[in-house]
Amino acid sequence: MQLIDGKKISLLLQEQIAKEVKELIAAEKKQPHLAAILVGNDGGSETYVAAKIKACENVGFKSTLIKHPDYVTEEKLLQSVIDLNNNPDIDGFIVQLPLPRHINEHKIIETILPSKDVDGFHPINVGRMVLNLPCYVSATPFGIVQLLEKYNIETKGKHCVVLGRSHIVGSPMSILLAKNTALGNCTVTLCHSKTENLIEHTRKADIIICALGSPEFLKADMVKDGAVVIDVGTTRVESTETKSGFKLKGDVKFDEVAPKCSFITPVPGGVGPMTIASLIKNTLLAAKKEIYR
Ligand code: NAP
């Protein structure tokens, strides 16, 4: 069994990006600038946004954080998005999800300019991804694809089972791995809460991508020997072992599944750091105008 070290790969990727940023600045080009909009005080969202801002510092990007209280009106939030769209110094920005229930998430995302949508959530970027056109691929699936590539994990002809069909992880993941590209050509089965006999699918899988948000869902008897298991799940559970009073649990019962795998990602330290590195990479592409000219 080999552990896939997402933290290490993420730091290597950030080092490469930092080098490119230095070259851009030396050539008197613009310093890349990422902005984040954060609504409310959800602990998880605050932690994720803080990690994204920290990554900007690490690679030499400028960053801007715009905070709104959880009672912000949809109109005011839309205005924040429009202001960032119109600000020529901002190369890309994200609106940290989830948003409070009184705000229409789709309306907010559809207001972001596709050329600044470095999370890759806008329908134009999703559509371009499906059609194999240049686009921002949403950060978590993009990070997973890069992990598979770095560890030379063969996907061609393999059977991949994706657990979860969300717009930001499971669905794009299933599309990327089924594409006729070097890191694709899998036969993909997409499972969700209405899937019958889910275990029959996972037991046949060469690669399992677990994106449910259900701690320790995937057990040893659901996995065949030699499978590759990618754990996307990050559920905050209370813990007396940490200073913060919580820890992150993955969707995989790691101790019993890991010995059966050829490769497996840990939680934390697997997919999470790659999501951040991929967002930073998308922002660099935005600053260099490589996707939308
Ligand atoms: P989501 O929007 O809640 O979607 C969960 C999906 O899992 C849904 O498609 C749901 O099916 C399915 N599902 C839930 N319980 C199931 C069960 N018992 N059996 C079969 N299918 C089940 O979640 P998400 O946004 O994709 O996130 C999934 C997990 O990944 C969460 O823990 C989240 O925190 C984590 N995450 C991590 C990163 C990272 O960077 N590491 C990034 C994004 C998300 P239905 O569609 O039928 O409801």
Side-chain angles (χ1 to χ4, degrees):
M1 183 276 289
Q2 192 178 349
L3 199 64
I4 297 181
D5 190 342
K7 198 169 169 191
K8 185 175 100 188
I9 304 297
S10 159
L11 288 174
L12 286 174
L13 194 59
Q14 289 183 52
E15 270 172 32
Q16 280 169 17
I17 293 172
K19 196 165 156 259
E20 270 203 62
V21 173
K22 275 196 185 133
E23 287 165 6
L24 282 177
I25 292 168
E28 297 190 349
K29 300 245 171 72
K30 187 182 161 304
Q31 182 183 16
H33 190 170
L34 174 72
I37 298 179
L38 176 63
V39 179
N41 299 96
D42 174 72
S45 293
E46 283 183 338
T47 308
Y48 294 135
V49 168
K52 290 166 188 176
I53 300 281
K54 176 92 182 41
C56 285
E57 281 169 21
N58 291 346
V59 299
F61 285 5
K62 264 167 76 175
S63 63
T64 296
L65 174 60
I66 295 155
K67 285 176 105 172
H68 288 289
D70 56 7
Y71 52 82
V72 67
T73 61
E74 188 173 281
E75 198 188 353
K76 196 154 184 209
L77 192 56
L78 282 170
Q79 191 54 52
S80 259
V81 169
I82 293 164
D83 291 345
L84 291 175
N85 283 343
N86 293 334
N87 182 342
D89 197 56
I90 302 288
D91 298 297
F93 65 97
I94 61 160
V95 179
Q96 185 66 38
L97 302 179
L99 294 171
R101 291 166 73 99
H102 67 278
I103 294 187
N104 181 337
E105 201 168 282
H106 291 294
K107 202 164 161 188
I108 301 294
I109 289 171
E110 288 191 53
T111 305
I112 301 174
L113 271 181
S115 58
K116 293 194 177 192
D117 166 44
V118 285
D119 251 342
F121 294 164
H122 191 286
I124 296 231
N125 278 313
V126 176
R128 293 178 71 94
M129 188 264 297
V130 173
L131 296 171
N132 238 353
L133 295 169
C135 64
Y136 301 117
V137 175
S138 76
T140 303
F142 187 24
I144 294 170
V145 165
Q146 290 175 90
L147 279 182
L148 296 174
E149 188 179 22
K150 291 285 179 214
Y151 280 82
N152 292 316
I153 293 170
E154 181 64 85
T155 54
K156 186 173 160 193
K158 303 294 177 195
H159 179 208
C160 175
V161 171
V162 179
L163 302 180
R165 59 177 164 186
S166 72
H167 296 315
I168 61 167
V169 190
S171 292
M173 200 65 246
S174 69
I175 293 163
L176 288 172
L177 286 176
K179 272 176 188 281
N180 185 4
T181 49
L183 255 153
N185 285 314
C186 279
T187 302
V188 177
T189 303
L190 181 58
C191 298
H192 44 75
S193 67
K194 309 294 182 296
T195 300
E196 291 182 1
N197 300 322
L198 185 141
I199 191 167
E200 283 178 17
H201 299 292
T202 57
R203 273 185 181 160
K204 288 189 203 141
D206 301 306
I207 301 171
I208 302 176
I209 315 276
C210 221
L212 305 169
S214 179
E216 301 190 329
F217 176 90
L218 194 79
K219 315 275 191 306
D221 65 344
M222 300 168 78
V223 178
K224 79 172 181 188
D225 284 329
V228 175
V229 172
I230 306 291
D231 189 354
V232 186
T234 46
T235 305
R236 282 158 69 101
V237 295
E238 283 186 14
S239 168
T240 50
E241 294 162 30
T242 59
K243 250 200 262 170
S244 60
F246 73 88
K247 65 178 180 183
L248 289 183
K249 272 241 182 277
D251 285 347
V252 177
K253 201 160 173 48
F254 185 88
D255 292 347
E256 61 175 63
V257 172
K260 294 186 82 175
C261 296
S262 53
F263 292 91
I264 187 165
T265 58
V267 174
V271 173
M274 286 306 290
T275 297
I276 292 175
S278 301
L279 172 70
I280 296 294
K281 193 165 170 177
N282 277 344
T283 307
L284 182 65
L285 293 173
K288 289 163 70 185
K289 308 230 174 319
E290 286 198 5
I291 307 284
Y292 295 89
R293 288 168 194 280

